[in-house]
Amino acid sequence: MAIAEINVTLKPALLDVQGKTVLKALHQLGHTSVQNVRIGKFITLEISDALAGPALQQELDRMCQQLLANPVIENYEIVITATPGSQPGLAVTAPAPAMAVTSPLLNP
């Protein structure tokens, strides 16, 4: 079995309204050393050994593009690890590059 950890964050150019709200609240609570806050999602998936290596990476990319992230406004990073007791070599531990997807709506 493999564990896929997916971090989804807003693209840096976009205003993170939720992050700004948390930053303001932290300052009001006296945590004035905090200079910026970005909010994202952390998703953990347990994947059967039926998928491994590049096929697993491609499947996870497809999941992110279809459902887990909005590629127009979000980046994502995937880290895959094998769980104890699984067969070695079935999963790859490597972060996926953040997806930079262009949209015809944004680039006419």
Side-chain angles (χ1 to χ4, degrees):
M1 182 179 309
I3 302 292
E5 296 176 342
I6 303 166
N7 291 302
V8 180
T9 56
L10 280 174
K11 291 188 176 186
L14 295 176
L15 174 65
D16 185 345
V17 176
Q18 198 174 14
K20 293 295 180 195
T21 302
V22 170
L23 176 64
K24 183 179 177 182
L26 287 170
H27 284 179
Q28 289 174 343
L29 292 170
H31 303 288
T32 56
S33 62
V34 179
Q35 296 183 1
N36 194 23
V37 176
R38 300 287 289 177
I39 302 291
K41 297 182 278 189
F42 180 74
I43 303 164
T44 303
L45 303 174
E46 294 181 13
I47 311 292
S48 71
D49 289 338
L51 285 174
L56 175 58
Q57 184 70 44
Q58 289 173 351
E59 186 73 15
L60 289 166
D61 280 333
R62 224 173 24 250
M63 289 179 202
C64 288
Q65 291 173 16
Q66 292 175 336
L67 178 67
L68 302 177
N70 179 347
V72 174
I73 63 169
E74 295 175 318
N75 291 326
Y76 61 89
E77 178 184 51
I78 301 168
V79 177
I80 305 167
T81 57
T83 59
S86 67
Q87 296 177 357
L90 288 179
V92 178
T93 304
M99 295 298 295
V101 178
T102 57
S103 167
L105 299 173
L106 298 175
N107 299 319

